[in-house]
Amino acid sequence: MRVFESPHESIVIRNCSITERVFEGLTGRPDSAVITDGPTGRSLTGRELMDGVRSLAGGLAASGVKKGDVIALMAPNIPEFFIVFHGIAWAGAIVTTVNPTFTANELQHQLNDSGAIMLVTIGPFLALARQGIEGTNVRKIVVVGDSEEGATPLSDLMGHPQQRQAPVDPADDVVVLPYSSGTTGLPKGVELTHRNLAANVDQAQAASRLAPGETTPAFLPFFHIYGMEILLNVYVAMGGNIVTLPRFDLELFLRIIEERQCSRLYIVPPVAIALAKHPLVDQFDLSSVKLVLSGAAPMGAEVEQAVCARLGCDTTQGYGMTEMSPVSHIMPLGTTRAGSAGPALPNTRCRIVDPDSGTDLGPDDIGELWVQGPQVMKGYLNNPQATEESLDAEGWLRTGDIASIDADGYLFVHDRLKELIKFNAFAVPPAEVEAALLSHPDILDVGVIGVPDEEAGEIPMAFVVPRDGSEVTLETVQAHLETLLAHYKQVRRLRIVESIPKTASGKILRRVLRQETDASA
């Protein structure tokens, strides 16, 4: 076995809950504003955050919520997201975060698969919530802020403060169930334990130097593992302050940077392109920015260098995935290596494996990246087959990404072995889009792939076999998908074909579809 060890010194992985770990970054600043709502300027202090978490945990326990119960949280980035997320964790329950742009069908699937008994949301999403809970185990909808008939205000759920973390086994007890398609297939609940998240906080902290009181704009959605762990947990635990944006707004993003003198930014490649090219950037003073860190999808070396040149700052990348809580690699501060995601975090080991032969490869060889470490997930909920396909007996996670590691231990991601499409850094499982398209009465067969796009990174493209005598167009396909899937899963290109290439077992040969697309480009 050829193992690439982390160049960082190993750290002690503590046996604590994720909320206990994050509270360590709040106890020294009880009266300081830690999380601020960007559009309104409304802030919550360290004391208000901790008091809110403890009161919610006490109220949940009083209402009958038990250890291991699942509560869904569907909300944009607002300060109360922290209180709800950690209040559930402090009560010993499990939170499953839901994308607010989901359709009722997608919401219902996640609620049923996770076994959620309660859904926390905001007023504008109440109609969607009511549709989505039909046919599920959810019996109570809780609304942050003013509520309507049939829903419980979050304030009514607050109870006598629970001063200590409900008893949990950090290494075994799941705390959050974000959904990911993994390397293939439909979205699955990723079982992340308290130890997974707490360990990744310590790992990231060891590889980053954050000055207490630093502020950063938080537009990365908290329902997604990147925003959830890096901003809501890691950044706050390290003493940082965040300004929440319910959605990405370039002008507000730039204004916050200027007004708050933000020194480091956490972004995704489409935002990097905007920072490199958009004329609006020149209207703001961004001289405070010293570091821009991009993740969720590979950022090209050209874009990385363009951001660096325009802002006069260091631009680096990290690598991770939901199944790794999420970070396994990050570029050290003060180090640049164009196109690289950096070396592995402390206590993280890597292998590059030939996907055909299963043999281990050496420095600069290209193969599938495998990762082992305390941040690697427990498994997929209710899906032992998918867990077995992704995790081996020794805890090595097959990432599905094609990569190489140089002699110094720096990771370079080249391609994806897995089928996942990355549209504006959001994961789009082709199998989910195909299943939705096959429900169209005029579609006989379909294959979906991702094709390159300068702005979005990739866009979904469908190859469609229509039924005899029917006419299928991009417009009719888009209208069909509009009610079934979130907007970022929408097909943007369409090609009518006579057949979809498949293996003997029926698996779609997406590589062939991609080759056909490249040949006709």
Side-chain angles (χ1 to χ4, degrees):
M1 184 185 297
R2 175 66 168 89
V3 176
F4 294 87
E5 302 285 352
S6 170
H8 294 284
E9 185 177 343
S10 294
I11 60 175
V12 176
I13 304 300
R14 290 175 290 172
N15 197 45
C16 66
S17 74
I18 179 57
T19 307
E20 288 173 316
R21 178 63 188 89
V22 175
F23 273 9
E24 292 177 16
L26 293 175
T27 52
R29 44 188 180 143
D31 300 317
S32 299
V34 175
I35 303 181
T36 301
D37 181 65
T40 66
R42 178 176 57 87
S43 295
L44 293 177
T45 66
R47 178 182 289 110
E48 289 171 331
L49 291 170
M50 291 188 290
D51 287 350
V53 167
R54 291 178 176 126
S55 292
L56 179 57
L60 289 172
S63 70
V65 172
K66 308 181 301 299
K67 174 183 174 181
D69 284 343
V70 177
I71 299 175
L73 172 55
M74 182 175 68
N77 288 12
I78 54 177
E80 287 78 11
F81 199 109
F82 181 98
I83 291 174
V84 176
F85 182 96
H86 285 287
I88 296 168
W90 196 249
I94 300 168
V95 57
T96 185
T97 50
V98 182
N99 186 338
T101 69
F102 271 3
T103 63
N105 182 60
E106 292 169 303
L107 172 58
Q108 185 182 59
H109 167 76
Q110 185 167 334
L111 295 176
N112 273 326
D113 191 70
S114 65
I117 62 169
M118 185 185 300
L119 171 61
V120 182
T121 188
I122 63 172
F125 302 148
L126 192 53
L128 170 64
R130 286 173 172 152
Q131 287 182 313
I133 68 169
E134 293 181 7
T136 74
N137 290 326
V138 173
R139 295 294 176 264
K140 178 181 287 188
I141 298 176
V142 177
V143 174
V144 178
D146 295 333
S147 185
E148 299 177 19
E149 185 177 351
T152 302
L154 181 66
S155 57
D156 285 3
L157 203 56
M158 295 294 184
H160 182 73
Q162 179 180 303
Q163 295 300 329
R164 295 184 179 277
Q165 168 72 52
V168 293
D169 179 352
D172 189 59
D173 286 338
V174 175
V175 64
V176 65
L177 278 172
Y179 271 66
S180 165
S181 65
T183 58
T184 185
L186 297 172
K188 298 173 281 290
V190 180
E191 297 180 303
L192 299 180
T193 66
H194 285 272
R195 183 175 186 264
N196 288 150
L197 297 188
N200 212 221
V201 170
D202 287 335
Q203 290 172 304
Q205 185 170 20
S208 306
R209 294 188 298 275
L210 182 72
E214 277 191 26
T215 299
T216 195
F219 71 88
L220 300 171
F222 294 154
F223 65 77
H224 186 276
I225 190 65
Y226 186 6
M228 177 200 307
E229 178 72 347
I230 299 304
L231 294 174
L232 202 66
N233 291 334
V234 173
Y235 197 82
V236 172
M238 291 196 299
N241 306 321
I242 58 178
V243 180
T244 61
L245 283 75
R247 60 179 180 82
F248 181 71
D249 179 305
L250 180 59
E251 184 174 357
L252 179 58
F253 176 68
L254 296 172
R255 182 178 297 114
I256 289 170
I257 296 170
E258 180 181 80
E259 293 177 352
R260 302 277 179 159
Q261 291 292 287
C262 301
S263 59
R264 75 177 73 194
L265 310 176
Y266 296 89
I267 64 169
V268 290
V271 176
I273 293 172
L275 289 174
K277 299 182 178 182
H278 202 287
L280 192 62
V281 174
D282 294 327
Q283 299 180 25
F284 294 85
D285 178 5
L286 306 184
S287 59
S288 63
V289 178
K290 300 296 183 290
L291 175 67
V292 174
L293 193 149
S294 180
M299 177 172 63
E302 298 81 4
V303 175
E304 184 177 340
Q305 292 163 357
V307 173
C308 180
R310 191 176 193 187
L311 301 188
C313 65
D314 289 335
T315 307
T316 64
Q317 297 188 61
Y319 172 82
M321 55 193 299
T322 306
E323 289 81 353
M324 295 190 297
S325 306
V327 187
S328 64
H329 293 72
I330 193 169
M331 186 69 69
L333 294 177
T335 303
T336 57
R337 194 163 300 201
S340 173
L345 291 178
N347 302 55
T348 303
R349 309 169 78 212
C350 302
R351 293 161 63 188
I352 298 294
V353 178
D354 186 301
D356 297 319
S357 67
T359 58
D360 284 272
L361 303 175
D364 298 318
D365 290 334
I366 296 177
E368 184 183 9
L369 174 67
W370 289 24
V371 177
Q372 183 190 66
Q375 71 270 50
V376 172
M377 68 172 181
K378 180 178 180 178
Y380 292 116
L381 178 71
N382 303 326
N383 203 327
Q385 179 180 347
T387 300
E388 186 177 344
E389 291 171 353
S390 297
L391 282 173
D392 75 2
E394 296 179 351
W396 285 99
L397 175 71
R398 303 174 178 92
T399 67
D401 282 320
I402 299 299
S404 62
I405 298 176
D406 68 17
D408 298 322
Y410 285 73
L411 174 71
F412 294 81
V413 179
H414 303 284
D415 200 356
R416 278 198 297 279
L417 181 67
K418 56 192 177 186
E419 300 170 352
L420 208 60
I421 301 166
K422 283 296 185 77
F423 175 80
N424 281 334
F426 283 101
V428 180
E432 185 179 13
V433 182
E434 288 161 358
L437 286 172
L438 286 172
S439 67
H440 191 292
D442 292 334
I443 293 178
L444 185 64
D445 201 0
V446 64
V448 174
I449 65 170
V451 295
D453 181 80
E454 183 177 352
E455 292 187 0
E458 285 182 314
I459 57 174
M461 176 178 181
F463 293 77
V464 171
V465 180
R467 293 190 183 277
D468 290 342
S470 63
E471 181 181 358
V472 177
T473 66
L474 179 60
E475 290 72 23
T476 60
V477 161
Q478 290 179 333
H480 178 72
L481 291 180
E482 195 172 64
T483 61
L484 298 176
L485 299 176
H487 67 90
Y488 64 88
K489 300 174 186 176
Q490 179 64 266
V491 167
R492 263 73 181 180
R493 287 178 60 184
L494 179 76
R495 181 180 297 177
I496 302 299
V497 295
E498 294 183 355
S499 63
I500 304 297
K502 297 181 181 180
T503 65
S505 62
K507 183 178 178 62
I508 295 173
L509 289 168
R510 302 182 197 281
R511 185 174 299 178
V512 175
L513 294 177
R514 278 190 285 269
Q515 290 170 347
E516 291 178 357
T517 304
D518 293 341
S520 63

